[in-house]
Amino acid sequence: MKISTSGSEMLRTFSPQIEHTSKGEKMWITVLVATIGLALYGLYLQIFKGHGVTGMRDNVIWGIYIVNFMFLIGLSYAGAIIAGFLILFKVEWGKPLIRLAQLMTLASVIVGPIFILLCVGRFDRLHHLFIYPRLQSPLTWDVLAVITFLVGSFLFLYLSLIQDFAVYRDSNLNVSKWKHNLWAWLALRYTGTENQKRLINTSRNLMAIVLIPVSIMVASILSWIFGMTLRPGWHSTIFGPYFVVGAIYSGIGVLIIITWYTRKMYHLERYITPKHFDYLAYMMLVMAAGYGYFTFSEYFTSWYGSETWDAQLIDKLFAPDEYGWLTFFANVAGVVIPVIFAAVPKLRKPDNLMVVAAIMVLAMWVKRYLIVVPTLETPLLPIEDIRPEYVHYTITWVEWLLTFGGVASFFLIFTLAGKFVTLIDISDLPKDENVKTQNQ
Amino acid sequence: MERNDIESTNQRRGFLKTAALGVTAAACGSAICACGGKDKAESEKVVLLSPDGELVTIDSAHLRPVPKTVHVTNEEARQGIPGRKFVMVIDLAKCKNARKCVTACQKMHHTPEPTEWLSVRLMKDSPDAAPYWFPKTCFHCDNPPCVKVCPVDATFKRQDGIVLIDADRCIGCKFCMAACPYSTRVFNWSEPEHTPEVSCLEYSPETSTPSRVGTVEKCDFCPDMSRAGLLPDCVTACPNGVFYFGDQNEDVVTNGDETIGFNDIIRDRGGYRFAEELGTEPRVWYLPPRDRIFPVERGLDDLPEEIKNRYKDVIGG
Ligand code: SF4
């Protein structure tokens, strides 16, 4: 199949990673696999010794596992929404970012659900979800939603990959036979006829149209796991949109980091220009404003209304000797700083944005923690227990192991994907003139 | 009253023993099963209630293993006892935190000591209000938030008003614990340590025992006792007659001593339900702590230090 000059140039850029695995990469992969190995040991302990090895107890029944789940699954929704919009609105500058966003979805939609399973006491009974399903339960909605989304996002990614697979197949890339055969098989005899092009385009657009609302729905359903309970800080009508915005927002943060890294790593300055970072920063700005607004509305209304139960939670969140500093960090590093760096042109530089995004992503993780844990520590009837682990949640090392294992799996999937496909869509690049204009 | 207590507890114990033996006979073919004929070897004495109301002491070796007297299928356990609508009334004016209900419940359900399906809390509704003791069971709500959210129908509402958990079905997602606003449910964070005898009991949602690791459990209103025509153990164990248990359909509740009309007592004593505004429609009613029999401090007497410490936030110091 014929590709444009810039396409073959791009292929050449990525070919070293696809053809060989360098020493550095091998080390990186070893570290990731070792981390995952340690996590598996943690998992073994958790399964055979019971959930007592975690910090979760009768009051704080969910800990950082559900925080990780919310965070990762949010990333996957964000990736789908961003890629979907860029494709649907034929955003020319966005083309080099689509694949990255989709790969972010892929990695997080695989790793995320593992964390909700870690909250479940009986692994051996997961099939009960299918043999005794109950539609009234938001958890059943979530199971259905995540599965739907998983299938949808795989399809979406695959549809955007077929043309590339055909290119790899017809290229003279020096790869092992199985890789070549797999490409050939995945390319589905695509040769680039007009008809094939049109079919792929239409189905990809259709998938984008489907996935955007699906992502919004599934993010809302996730929020309703909390929103449907009668607890302060959870039982809120704005939780659906709050989670949607939060997901997209942290997704943009991670996308900025990934884009920055890919650009550095593969010397893609010609394709990913400071303009791209500007656009990403604008998106970040809008989402930060939205997220800040929601957070403010949440806190302000509960504080002003000051119903006893709500007020207890707000006190806890803002007291410096309880969650005050975390709340401060989550909102300053998570909203205020990103807004400043995205809004002031002097500060809006790729390197700065990458650092700000990294801190913001951490802050958004902390924000999820602040949604889950303080509320669980504030039951209607004050905790009358003197076992300290029942009163306050502390993250145990088993939970950390599994969390780092999750992060490592995310990177591993990303790294391995980079061995198999180019990180930028080479058959659908922006027109060459565009690249030039953006360079000026 | 005292005699009543002894009688029913003993009867209960005898019943359990018989049940355990029955299961022993039924389930101990395999080598893994730890429940051998240990009881017989030890030749313990058990007190039983004879058909003509006499208490008799006999050697457990003479007990003929029989199947559990009140055995219900899972279906029946999910249906409930036809025609009943169980209800509980807790008289706060009479409670002095004797904790007999708590220990009786733990004993009956073979739960380890720190696990309290039924707990007695010290409440103080506002800074100027007088503190009072507040026994808290599961409220068996008519609009139960826990049942709504269970993804596998492991926790369910029966037609007799009781909310139960099927620990053989529960996947341990703990969503019901998040949904319950009363912190009623407890989770088995590790493998429960049971005596061989207890682990060999046949599980039923109606007895909630033996507990299973990785699943949720809670106060079950003792439907197995109701089936046998007995009162829940917390009711009979309370020396002050705080708990009234009964049937709303028949409009009658009893604490084992005194039997009254449910509607009458609610009307005459100003009965109310805890946190009515949550809309959960509890089946447990409270009678306000007025004209109290004991000063609240009495409840702190003779308490082990670690339990007394629980109430520090309320009593101060
Ligand atoms: S923990 Fe068990 S009973 Fe509770 S909601 Fe989950 S499956 Fe149902």
Side-chain angles (χ1 to χ4, degrees), chain B residues 146 149-152 154-155 165 170-176 185 216:
Chain B
C146 53
V149 301
C150 180
V152 296
T155 188
I165 302 167
C170 171
I171 60 167
C173 64
K174 298 169 269 176
F175 199 1
C176 52
R185 295 170 164 245
V216 172

Side-chain angles (χ1 to χ4, degrees), chain A residues 67 83 195:
Chain A
V67 172
N195 196 28

Side-chain angles (χ1 to χ4, degrees), chain B residues 56-126:
Chain B
V56 289
T57 311
I58 53 166
D59 194 312
S60 67
H62 295 140
L63 281 175
R64 194 157 36 91
V66 284
K68 214 170 169 210
T69 355
V70 192
H71 187 76
V72 291
T73 61
N74 192 278
E75 240 110 275
E76 286 169 303
R78 283 176 173 269
Q79 282 278 310
I81 305 173
R84 302 268 165 200
K85 201 109 212 141
F86 292 109
V87 69
M88 186 179 262
V89 180
I90 298 178
D91 187 350
L92 298 176
K94 290 195 273 192
C95 179
K96 67 157 187 135
N97 192 27
R99 291 182 56 81
K100 291 284 184 282
C101 52
V102 180
T103 43
C105 175
Q106 287 168 332
K107 197 157 163 209
M108 155 149 192
H109 297 102
H110 309 286
T111 48
E113 203 151 271
T115 305
E116 294 182 357
W117 293 359
L118 160 60
S119 60
V120 185
R121 308 181 55 98
L122 183 56
M123 301 278 268
K124 193 165 156 61
D125 294 339
S126 72

